[in-house]
Amino acid sequence: MTPELMIKACSFYTGHLVKTHFCTWRDIARTNENVILAEKMNRAVTCYNFRLQKSVFHHWHSYMEDQKEKLKNMLLRIQQIIYCHKLTIILTKWRNTARHKSKKKEDELILKHELQLKKWKNRLILKRAAAEESNFPERSSSEVSLVDETLKCDISLLPERAILQIFFYLSLKDVIICGQVNHAWMLMTQLNSLWNAIDFSSVKNVIPDKYIVSTLQRWRLNVLSVSKYAHYNYLNLQELNVSGCPTFTDESMRHISEGCPGVLCLNLSNTTITNRMMRLLPRHFHNLQNLSLAYCRRFTDKGLQYLNLGNGCHKLIYLDLSGCTQISVQGFRYIANSCTGIMHLTINDMPTLTDNCVKALVEKCSRITSLVFTGAPHISDCTFRALSACKLRKIRFEGNKRVTDASFKFIDKNYPNLSHIYMADCKGITDSSLRSLSPLKQLTVLNLANCQFLDGPASIRIRELNLSNCVRLSDASVMKLSERCPNLNYLSLRNCEHLTAQGIGYIVNIFSLVSIDLSGTDISNEAFCKSSLILEHLDVSYCSQLSDMIIKALAIYCINLTSLSIAGCPKITDSAMEMLSAKCHYLHILDISGCVLLTDQILEDLQIGCKQLRILKMQYCTNISKKAAQRMSSKVQQQEYNTNDPPRWFGYDREGNPVTDLDNITSSKGALELTVKKSTYSSEDQAA
């Protein structure tokens, strides 16, 4: 063997040995890595399973907690339902018991008042009988007849010539005192012929000013008499009304202006004043504050230019230009230059009034707070923009088709102090306009005739609300009304056809109601008299379902009632009116037209119990005789009476039976009609 082969053999052996050991080591190393990797995998799987279990357990725990909470809430709701059900049962029983006791109490109260009424009537009958028996039996028949004739003598029934002859013998002071006796004597002392014949110059130094001045302030005398009297310069005359005087001339105006420079209020409406008369106003009436030129069409724009002469009419606060259709834009500009202090402006019945007229006026009259535009169809939204310079508090307009929703949005932003809004028959106004009024926090009077009621914070302050002819008004609206308007005093729901007894029940919650109009509604005897103890005015006319029950309730609870209208209520009988006469002693105005079941007996009851009755309307009262009506006419200031059959639109005949065929019904012929008017309404009566 050679060395070379030996070396190769050793190298091969060594290499083979190394290779064998390396493979063995490699196999051993690989086995350890697999074990470690397997262990790691096992640990990873274990960790993953633990986390998965933890997540599942967490979800399960949350689910169980939710289920427990739901179960708890469910148990509480079940308990509340059971409690409410128990309360409902208790309240139902309590309500039924309370209603029963209340009904029993009311029946006892009505029975008590009826017994008192019978005792009262019996006492009156006994008193009359005793008075008749103690009528001086020792007097002769001639003396008795003379006394009766004297008692029946009424000077107001004498001819005017005789009355004048009697008063001619009296002094001016005595004439004025006679006018304060009663209403009939006041009318006699207001005869124009009497005042034309009085010589003021002969009594100036003996009659104190206060008697004559007070008379001039209260009465509308003949202008000739006023002018003669004004010539004597009674400086304390502050108010003068010559409205509608046909004898008012330039000479009369000159006498008045020279003799009465202290006049503050001057009413020249419906007179024939000219530009010459207008020239006298700024020269003499330096303190004039109230001026009415309504329906005076003889003066022109030039006459208004005279208002700036001399000291001018710069103190003028109230101005009435109603019906003065001859005034142009230039005339309003003259007024603005002369009367910058105007606060109350009235322009009614003026179809020629335009936006430019208002713009010309408010350029310098920025103090206007009260504005009345009725009968001005050409006023549009531009007027409201022009009035933004004024601080309006009261605004009134009606019958206008050019005023749109834009005006009301403008009101919302520029007139925050508005307290009185009257808007009727304005066809361009929609519901969105009404919503614009809700931010007006000072609003107290709102007339929404033929409109919808708005909802907002202003409703809390509202005192007067007119919802007449809102035919879509429902009980739900009335419910909201009772909630939102707790301080309401005057409410009109006339001709709200969808209003039912349930809606009337909500009105009970308005304890502040003084006057309410429910005429033309479909209500029955669901009266609210028990809660409205301060009720003074009630109109339930043409409610055919009303019976004696509501009148008796009125008599018991509303003893302060001053105005009542039950016209067109055919179920009302004498017994109800008897109770009303015995309890409501302050009744001034009563309308029983169409109450066909009433007889002469009620007139006797009214004479005894309602001594303050002024106005009585009893048309279509078929069972009330002419004789009884004539006796009643001497007890009231105004009376309307006839015995015609009720008109067909009343819905019932002269017996009170419902009408089935309206075309076959004809009014009775030859029926008696009597209307007695002794005086005009006073301002209080007109307001009522």
Side-chain angles (χ1 to χ4, degrees):
M1 178 177 293
T2 63
E4 291 84 1
L5 292 174
M6 190 66 179
I7 292 171
K8 288 184 180 179
C10 288
S11 298
F12 176 79
Y13 177 77
T14 302
H16 178 74
L17 184 63
V18 170
K19 183 178 180 180
T20 302
H21 284 82
F22 178 79
C23 290
T24 304
W25 173 83
R26 186 184 61 184
D27 294 337
I28 295 171
R30 285 181 177 177
T31 302
N32 293 334
E33 287 179 357
N34 291 335
V35 172
I36 293 171
L37 182 62
E39 291 178 354
K40 289 182 178 180
M41 286 297 297
N42 291 333
R43 287 198 300 269
V45 170
T46 303
C47 182
Y48 173 77
N49 291 335
F50 176 77
R51 289 183 177 181
L52 182 62
Q53 290 177 357
K54 185 177 180 180
S55 175
V56 172
F57 177 79
H58 177 73
H59 287 294
W60 173 83
H61 180 73
S62 300
Y63 173 76
M64 293 303 297
E65 291 293 330
D66 292 339
Q67 292 297 320
K68 288 180 179 180
E69 188 67 24
K70 290 181 180 179
L71 183 60
K72 183 179 179 180
N73 293 334
M74 190 178 298
L75 292 175
L76 290 176
R77 289 181 60 187
I78 292 174
Q79 291 177 357
Q80 290 177 353
I81 292 173
I82 294 174
Y83 181 71
C84 292
H85 182 65
K86 290 181 179 179
L87 284 180
T88 303
I89 295 174
I90 295 172
L91 289 175
T92 303
K93 293 182 178 179
W94 174 83
R95 183 184 59 185
N96 294 334
T97 305
R99 284 182 177 178
H100 177 72
K101 290 185 178 180
S102 177
K103 184 67 169 58
K104 185 179 180 181
K105 186 177 180 180
E106 289 179 7
D107 294 340
E108 292 176 353
L109 187 60
I110 292 176
L111 181 61
K112 178 182 177 181
H113 283 279
E114 289 179 350
L115 292 176
Q116 291 178 354
L117 181 61
K118 289 181 180 179
K119 291 181 181 179
W120 177 68
K121 290 187 63 178
N122 294 333
R123 194 181 301 113
L124 288 177
I125 294 173
L126 293 175
K127 188 181 295 184
R128 289 177 183 173
E132 292 176 357
E133 292 178 359
S134 61
N135 266 345
F136 299 100
E138 67 277 9
R139 289 188 179 182
S140 62
S141 59
S142 60
E143 291 177 345
V144 174
S145 62
L146 181 61
V147 173
D148 293 340
E149 291 177 0
T150 304
L151 293 175
K152 292 181 180 178
C153 179
D154 187 357
I155 189 175
S156 64
L157 300 178
L158 295 176
E160 181 177 334
R161 183 177 178 183
I163 296 174
L164 292 175
Q165 190 66 31
I166 293 173
F167 282 104
F168 282 160
Y169 291 100
L170 302 178
S171 65
L172 179 59
K173 179 179 178 180
D174 293 334
V175 172
I176 295 174
I177 293 175
C178 290
Q180 299 175 358
V181 174
N182 55 34
H183 183 76
W185 282 58
M186 185 184 72
L187 292 177
M188 289 188 293
T189 58
Q190 290 182 359
L191 294 174
N192 291 335
S193 303
L194 175 64
W195 286 92
N196 286 333
I198 294 179
D199 185 4
F200 288 93
S201 61
S202 62
V203 298
K204 177 181 182 298
N205 296 325
V206 273
I207 304 301
D209 295 349
K210 62 180 182 179
Y211 291 105
I212 304 176
V213 171
S214 62
T215 303
L216 292 175
Q217 290 174 342
R218 289 171 49 236
W219 298 342
R220 293 183 180 180
L221 303 181
N222 185 280
V223 175
L224 180 60
S225 304
V226 175
S227 62
K228 289 194 303 181
Y229 179 68
H231 179 69
Y232 295 101
N233 194 19
Y234 286 90
L235 299 176
N236 57 351
L237 184 63
Q238 296 183 356
E239 182 176 353
L240 184 60
N241 186 349
V242 292
S243 173
C245 293
T247 56
F248 190 74
T249 61
D250 293 349
E251 187 68 17
S252 303
M253 186 63 187
R254 185 180 66 81
H255 284 302
I256 293 174
S257 60
E258 293 177 356
C260 306
V263 171
L264 299 179
C265 300
L266 180 60
N267 189 342
L268 301 174
S269 59
N270 291 289
T271 58
T272 57
I273 64 171
T274 63
N275 292 339
R276 181 183 175 187
M277 294 186 187
M278 296 290 290
R279 188 193 296 265
L280 299 174
L281 296 179
R283 288 184 176 179
H284 299 281
F285 300 129
H286 301 156
N287 298 318
L288 190 63
Q289 297 180 2
N290 190 318
L291 177 62
S292 177
L293 301 174
Y295 307 101
C296 297
R297 296 187 174 92
R298 292 290 185 91
F299 71 90
T300 62
D301 292 343
K302 186 177 181 180
L304 297 175
Q305 188 179 9
Y306 292 149
L307 295 178
N308 205 22
L309 296 177
N311 292 327
C313 296
H314 302 303
K315 295 183 179 180
L316 201 64
I317 296 176
Y318 175 88
L319 180 62
D320 189 349
L321 298 175
S322 301
C324 298
T325 55
Q326 76 277 11
I327 303 177
S328 65
V329 177
Q330 186 61 36
F332 282 97
R333 192 170 285 112
Y334 289 148
I335 295 174
N337 293 331
S338 308
C339 312
T340 57
I342 294 178
M343 298 179 64
H344 308 284
L345 182 63
T346 301
I347 310 179
N348 295 329
D349 300 328
M350 198 166 178
T352 58
L353 188 68
T354 62
D355 296 332
N356 292 330
C357 296
V358 180
K359 290 179 181 178
L361 183 64
V362 300
E363 284 179 357
K364 297 183 178 180
C365 298
S366 59
R367 298 177 60 186
I368 296 177
T369 60
S370 175
L371 198 59
V372 179
F373 287 152
T374 60
H378 298 294
I379 293 296
S380 67
D381 299 337
C382 297
T383 294
F384 290 91
R385 294 188 179 92
L387 291 170
S388 60
C390 305
K391 297 180 180 180
L392 287 181
R393 294 184 179 180
K394 296 183 180 180
I395 188 168
R396 178 186 179 102
F397 59 95
E398 63 177 312
N400 192 301
K401 297 181 179 179
R402 301 187 65 186
V403 176
T404 64
D405 296 342
S407 297
F408 284 84
K409 294 179 180 178
F410 201 75
I411 287 176
D412 176 18
K413 298 178 181 178
N414 295 274
Y415 309 125
N417 297 322
L418 267 178
S419 61
H420 184 122
I421 296 180
Y422 179 100
M423 48 183 181
D425 299 326
C426 296
K427 307 301 182 183
I429 299 174
T430 64
D431 294 341
S432 60
S433 298
L434 301 177
R435 296 189 189 98
S436 301
L437 300 179
S438 58
L440 301 179
K441 299 181 179 180
Q442 304 298 327
L443 192 62
T444 58
V445 177
L446 179 64
N447 192 325
L448 295 175
N450 300 316
C451 299
Q452 298 289 336
F453 178 67
L454 75 150
D455 187 11
S459 58
I460 300 177
R461 295 178 177 268
I462 289 178
R463 299 292 185 273
E464 179 180 341
L465 182 62
N466 189 334
L467 296 174
S468 302
N469 302 311
C470 294
V471 293
R472 296 184 179 181
L473 191 72
S474 63
D475 294 340
S477 300
V478 177
M479 179 182 66
K480 180 177 290 187
L481 172 68
S482 64
E483 296 173 352
R484 299 292 299 170
C485 301
N487 298 315
L488 199 62
N489 297 139
Y490 303 92
L491 176 62
S492 177
L493 298 173
R494 176 187 291 267
N495 298 328
C496 296
E497 301 174 354
H498 291 84
L499 194 62
T500 65
Q502 183 180 0
I504 300 300
Y506 295 125
I507 302 179
V508 176
N509 299 323
I510 309 177
F511 300 104
S512 58
L513 271 181
V514 174
S515 175
I516 184 167
D517 187 349
L518 297 173
S519 58
T521 58
D522 188 19
I523 64 171
S524 57
N525 289 325
E526 294 292 335
F528 49 89
C529 312
K530 307 171 197 175
S531 300
S532 303
L533 301 179
I534 62 173
L535 191 66
E536 295 180 3
H537 310 285
L538 177 62
D539 189 343
V540 287
S541 52
Y542 310 109
C543 298
S544 57
Q545 301 300 321
L546 295 182
S547 64
D548 292 348
M549 185 182 300
I550 187 172
I551 305 300
K552 292 181 178 179
L554 279 173
I556 294 173
Y557 297 102
C558 303
I559 59 176
N560 294 320
L561 202 66
T562 60
S563 175
L564 175 63
S565 177
I566 51 174
C569 299
K571 295 183 179 181
I572 305 298
T573 64
D574 289 352
S575 62
M577 298 303 298
E578 186 180 26
M579 179 76 75
L580 184 72
S581 304
K583 305 295 292 185
C584 297
H585 301 301
Y586 303 105
L587 199 62
H588 291 174
I589 303 173
L590 179 62
D591 189 354
I592 54 174
S593 301
C595 297
V596 293
L597 300 182
L598 300 182
T599 64
D600 296 349
Q601 180 62 38
I602 68 159
L603 300 184
E604 298 181 6
D605 297 335
L606 290 174
Q607 292 182 27
I608 297 172
C610 301
K611 296 185 180 298
Q612 298 188 24
L613 192 64
R614 300 178 184 175
I615 302 173
L616 178 60
K617 299 180 182 181
M618 45 184 181
Q619 299 192 37
Y620 316 116
C621 294
T622 56
N623 289 324
I624 297 179
S625 64
K626 173 186 175 183
K627 185 177 180 180
Q630 287 177 338
R631 288 197 303 267
M632 192 64 188
S633 63
S634 62
K635 305 294 182 182
V636 295
Q637 295 180 7
Q638 179 175 333
Q639 176 175 300
E640 298 178 7
Y641 165 75
N642 66 52
T643 56
N644 294 339
D645 285 351
R648 290 180 293 178
W649 56 269
F650 271 39
Y652 56 89
D653 56 19
R654 62 183 295 116
E655 303 297 333
N657 300 319
V659 173
T660 55
D661 188 3
L662 297 179
D663 295 332
N664 295 332
I665 298 179
T666 57
S667 59
S668 60
K669 297 181 179 180
L672 177 66
E673 182 171 347
L674 175 65
T675 303
V676 179
K677 291 185 179 179
K678 287 200 171 185
S679 69
T680 58
Y681 288 106
S682 65
S683 60
E684 177 182 315
D685 297 332
Q686 289 176 346

